[in-house]
Amino acid sequence: MDPLSDLLEGVRARMAAFCQAILDPPWALRIADGAALALATTLQGHAWVVPDDGEPVLMRTGDVVIIKGPHPYNVSDDPATVPDYVVHHDNRLTTMDGTDVTDALRLGPRTSGLTRDGSAIVASGTYQIGSDVTERLLNALPPIVLVPAAEAQNPVMTLLAQEVGRDGPAQEIVLARLLDIALVTTLSAWFARPDAQAPGWYRAHGDPQAGPALRLMHDDPAHPWSVEALAAKVGCSRAALARRFTALVGEPPITYLTHWRMALAADLLRSSDLTIETIAHRVGYANAFALSVAFKRIRGVSPRQHRAGDRPAAV
């Protein structure tokens, strides 16, 4: 599996995560749902994404943005417009003074607004992420990713626009799956842009030496890989692989492998009841002691502390 696929494996849309707002100017929404990641697109009109500590980003019709949370931000018709409403977790809406207006503004399934004929329609979906593996992806993203309509338009975006207002059996599942695909295709489109400043592991994916080495480590992290073994598999010298991999990815192969193993171990510690010994074997360590030494060195806490909830920022 390639690194992007692995890092996206922990990202899944949640039920009731998708909604659309129909709006007339002047309008502004304060987004305070605490989501780790949000995807939004303008189905009609335009919208500005206005972070508290960054430059506003304009979304024209059909553009798609990915916004890295969990900090609040505004979405508005103009960067200067002051929000009237706050969007909370589970798409709950309040006025700025805290009055709940969710039901009063509901126009239909997953649709809110003051009118059905607004000049702007903004659709969005949010993700709550509890995966150390996926945090490696988040760390590679800028606060706001914008993919223009010409590069973002694909069948899944059209399907999302068609399905968002429908109600029926398993409709939330349909929307969640479409949203997952929309996120993957949007990220892929952004990473492929020349100005994207894609992370090293993405740039290395297409390299004839570093790319296969990356896939080997992702496919079988428990294997006792060495630079020599990886080089033999990809058909080059040890020195050539080490030089090429480090130049593209930004760190030597075994350093990358160690960090990848630590992310996998961190997820298993938090999401399973497996013993530390079993987890050690799954991620390439001989026993629990060896994993604990490496985990404490990289993460600053022991595996037991991490499992108990003492969780510093992912590496």
Side-chain angles (χ1 to χ4, degrees):
M1 188 178 289
D2 64 90
L4 181 58
S5 298
D6 264 338
L7 297 178
L8 283 167
E9 187 64 24
V11 182
R12 289 290 182 272
R14 297 295 185 258
M15 293 299 185
F18 196 74
C19 66
Q20 69 175 356
I22 302 176
L23 305 146
D24 264 326
W27 63 268
L29 300 172
R30 179 69 170 167
I31 311 300
D33 55 12
L37 201 66
L39 180 144
T41 184
T42 42
L43 303 178
Q44 181 175 302
H46 75 274
W48 287 88
V49 180
V50 187
D52 288 355
D53 55 358
E55 292 297 318
V57 173
L58 175 62
M59 274 197 301
R60 297 180 174 85
T61 302
D63 291 353
V64 182
V65 296
I66 295 172
I67 305 153
K68 187 167 65 172
H71 304 297
Y73 56 93
N74 295 343
V75 180
S76 60
D77 70 311
D78 185 277
T81 304
V82 178
D84 293 316
Y85 301 103
V86 182
V87 180
H88 301 273
H89 180 64
D90 289 336
N91 293 329
R92 185 172 62 87
L93 294 168
T94 69
T95 59
M96 298 304 292
D97 64 6
T99 303
D100 194 306
V101 291
T102 307
D103 292 336
L105 296 181
R106 182 175 290 125
L107 298 175
R110 296 165 295 277
T111 301
S112 299
L114 295 172
T115 174
R116 294 183 179 276
D117 301 311
S119 62
I121 301 177
V122 179
S124 63
T126 59
Y127 297 83
Q128 300 293 338
I129 295 170
S131 166
D132 282 68
V133 166
T134 303
E135 282 186 5
R136 289 170 64 87
L137 170 63
L138 296 185
N139 291 340
L141 298 176
I144 301 175
V145 168
L146 171 70
V147 177
E151 300 167 35
Q153 289 310 299
N154 56 64
V156 70
M157 300 306 299
T158 302
L159 282 172
L160 271 173
Q162 293 172 349
E163 294 290 334
V164 64
R166 295 181 182 176
D167 201 11
Q171 187 65 10
E172 296 291 350
I173 295 292
V174 170
L175 287 168
R177 297 298 177 267
L178 289 174
L179 188 59
D180 287 339
I181 298 170
L183 177 65
V184 173
T185 56
T186 302
L187 281 173
S188 296
W190 181 75
F191 280 137
R193 291 173 59 85
D195 59 345
Q197 296 183 329
W201 48 259
Y202 185 87
R203 296 194 305 270
H205 175 66
D207 184 79
Q209 296 172 350
L214 272 171
R215 288 189 288 275
L216 285 167
M217 289 186 279
H218 278 255
D219 286 345
D220 191 3
H223 187 83
W225 294 114
S226 63
V227 179
E228 290 86 351
L230 289 167
K233 284 284 189 179
V234 303
C236 67
S237 70
R238 176 190 183 281
L241 176 61
R243 183 171 57 252
R244 187 66 178 162
F245 191 101
T246 303
L248 288 171
V249 179
E251 57 187 351
I254 302 307
T255 302
Y256 179 92
L257 176 61
T258 300
H259 289 160
W260 177 234
R261 285 170 168 171
M262 292 303 102
L264 293 173
D267 275 1
L268 287 170
L269 287 164
R270 297 298 294 273
S271 65
S272 77
D273 294 325
L274 296 172
T275 66
I276 296 176
E277 185 82 13
T278 299
I279 293 172
H281 295 158
R282 287 199 178 185
V283 300
Y285 288 85
N287 51 49
F289 177 76
L291 173 62
S292 296
V293 170
F295 200 93
K296 181 70 178 289
R297 176 172 58 84
I298 299 295
R299 294 296 179 112
V301 296
S302 70
R304 293 186 188 280
Q305 289 173 316
H306 180 86
R307 174 166 269 173
D310 187 358
R311 186 186 183 198
V315 176

